Amino acid sequence: MRFRIPNEIFSSILAATTAFIGGNLLNLPVWAIFIGWAGTFLAGGPNRATLKKLLPAMAAGSTFALAIVLLEQTFGAALGESQTAKNAMLALFILVLNTALMYAGRTRVLALIPGMFLGFASYFATMFGGFGFSAHNAFAAWVSVLAMNALGPVFAVVAHAVTARAESPGTEPVVALD
């Protein structure tokens, strides 16, 4: 019988490496790795079909969120300087672009709508949380979150490949169903 590293142990080792990915140097949103990692398993597990659905969906969600931020930064005060006027413009941008995002989910490439919202939420958290290699910069937040969200599925694939490879032929992988 071959020694098998439990997925729980190997995944924890991978999770620990995230401390070195962003750290203080680039201020990357390493938590966004975990969003992509979890999304991988929610969407069907670490396989080619899941990655083909999840990665474009998360990127599209982040891109739509970037567009909302850019519109708000450019035209947010078009109705006036009051907070109510700015909120009305923001609501309009969200209404229009979120509707477009949802309709984009009707395409084959972007059909994984929850994946789009993982990217959407990750972008806003990165932007307004001051993460990214240039804090509160819309494009830096976008690049940073795209990279970190994309690493999540990579971590899922690596963890699965290492722990599944160690299994003996003909045995079922250990899966907690509770």
Side-chain angles (χ1 to χ4, degrees):
M1 179 175 203
R2 294 170 58 183
F3 175 72
R4 178 180 175 270
I5 300 171
N7 186 31
E8 296 82 359
I9 300 289
F10 191 76
S11 292
S12 296
I13 292 167
L14 280 177
T17 67
T18 64
F20 299 99
I21 292 174
N24 293 328
L25 181 63
L26 293 177
N27 195 34
L28 295 174
V30 294
W31 48 265
I33 293 172
F34 298 100
I35 301 295
W37 197 340
T40 301
F41 285 96
L42 286 172
N47 57 61
R48 185 178 310 274
T50 297
L51 299 183
K52 285 175 68 173
K53 293 185 302 188
L54 181 63
L55 291 171
M58 284 192 304
S62 294
T63 303
F64 275 82
L66 167 66
I68 290 170
V69 166
L70 293 174
L71 284 169
E72 195 278 327
Q73 288 176 346
T74 305
F75 304 109
L79 295 178
E81 290 295 325
S82 74
Q83 193 58 53
T84 302
K86 289 179 180 180
N87 289 347
M89 287 301 293
L90 179 58
L92 176 64
F93 301 143
I94 292 171
L95 173 68
V96 171
L97 288 172
N98 193 65
T99 301
L101 178 66
M102 296 297 290
Y103 272 107
R106 292 185 179 201
T107 66
R108 181 176 296 173
V109 174
L110 301 177
L112 188 62
I113 293 172
M116 290 193 293
F117 281 94
L118 293 175
F120 194 78
S122 292
Y123 176 81
F124 285 124
T126 300
M127 174 64 187
F128 298 116
F131 291 96
F133 56 87
S134 179
H136 302 289
N137 177 298
F139 287 105
W142 182 68
V143 169
S144 297
V145 81
L146 286 180
M148 296 298 99
N149 274 162
L151 274 177
V154 170
F155 275 47
V157 167
V158 169
H160 178 74
V162 168
T163 59
R165 187 176 342 122
E167 294 172 5
S168 299
T171 62
E172 291 293 318
V174 178
V175 178
L177 298 177
D178 299 340

